[in-house]
Amino acid sequence: MSEDAAETLAVDDVVEYCRTQAGLLSGSVETMGEEADELLDEIDQEMAEIRSRLETLPEEVPGTETPSTADVPDASEIDVAAIEELQEELEEKQLLVEAKQARMQAFQELAADYTELAEELASNAVDEAEALTRVVEFEADADAPAYFDDERRTMVEMAAESADSGAE
């Protein structure tokens, strides 16, 4: 095999690595989307529960000047604390959904950036060293290791480990 073929193969490997990373990120986005959908379903159910409880309240809550009637439930029947608790849970879930959506957006952007980098490396005449350098710099700038679980090491992590072991 010629030296050019070996370099092309190595650059192709780097391109494939970028595409794999983009695919993994897209899979994470899909999973997060399913989790967000489940939370949204729970929010819908809790909203229905709150509406149902609120509908059982009298049209007008008696004030101090209005005499109470037999048709108006007393305070023990109106579980305001339970409604407020449901509302707090609902707000927490809404915050979770918003956080998931922001995280999904970040993952989608990084996946798109990996794909773009893969296309650039594949279409431009770069050697193995330049391809690796560009990927390592890209991952460092994007803080890519934060997007992957501990089982998946990025090239920037491997480069850092290599530099650490070389310094010893």
Side-chain angles (χ1 to χ4, degrees):
M1 182 182 331
S2 71
E3 187 173 310
D4 290 342
E7 285 183 5
T8 302
L9 179 61
V11 171
D12 288 345
D13 291 340
V14 175
V15 168
E16 185 60 31
Y17 166 82
C18 289
R19 289 180 178 146
T20 299
Q21 296 294 82
L24 291 171
L25 291 165
S26 294
S28 294
V29 168
E30 189 174 312
T31 300
M32 285 184 271
E34 291 168 2
E35 292 168 357
D37 288 345
E38 289 173 13
L39 281 171
L40 289 170
D41 289 344
E42 290 176 23
I43 288 171
D44 287 344
Q45 291 172 353
E46 288 179 17
M47 293 271 298
E49 173 75 20
I50 290 171
R51 273 191 222 102
S52 171
R53 288 184 181 200
L54 289 173
E55 287 172 357
T56 63
L57 294 176
E59 289 296 319
E60 293 181 29
V61 177
T64 54
E65 297 176 358
T66 306
S68 63
T69 64
D71 296 330
V72 178
D74 64 12
S76 64
E77 291 178 49
I78 303 171
D79 195 357
V80 175
I83 292 173
E84 288 174 349
E85 186 177 319
L86 278 173
Q87 183 177 357
E88 287 175 19
E89 289 175 17
L90 178 69
E91 289 169 359
E92 287 175 20
K93 285 183 181 174
Q94 287 172 327
L95 288 173
L96 282 173
V97 168
E98 290 172 15
K100 271 197 189 300
Q101 289 171 335
R103 192 165 183 236
M104 288 168 58
Q105 180 68 30
F107 273 61
Q108 288 171 329
E109 289 172 7
L110 185 59
D113 291 345
Y114 263 115
T115 300
E116 184 178 309
L117 179 59
E119 296 308 313
E120 286 176 25
L121 294 174
S123 64
N124 295 335
V126 296
D127 63 12
E128 174 187 2
E130 183 180 345
L132 289 172
T133 299
R134 287 187 58 192
V135 171
V136 169
E137 289 172 353
F138 163 76
E139 288 183 340
D141 290 345
D143 193 24
Y147 292 80
F148 297 96
D149 60 26
D150 293 337
E151 294 175 20
R152 180 75 182 178
R153 290 188 359 208
T154 60
M155 283 193 182
V156 72
E157 290 173 308
M158 289 184 271
E161 290 169 9
S162 177
D164 289 345
S165 65
E168 292 174 5

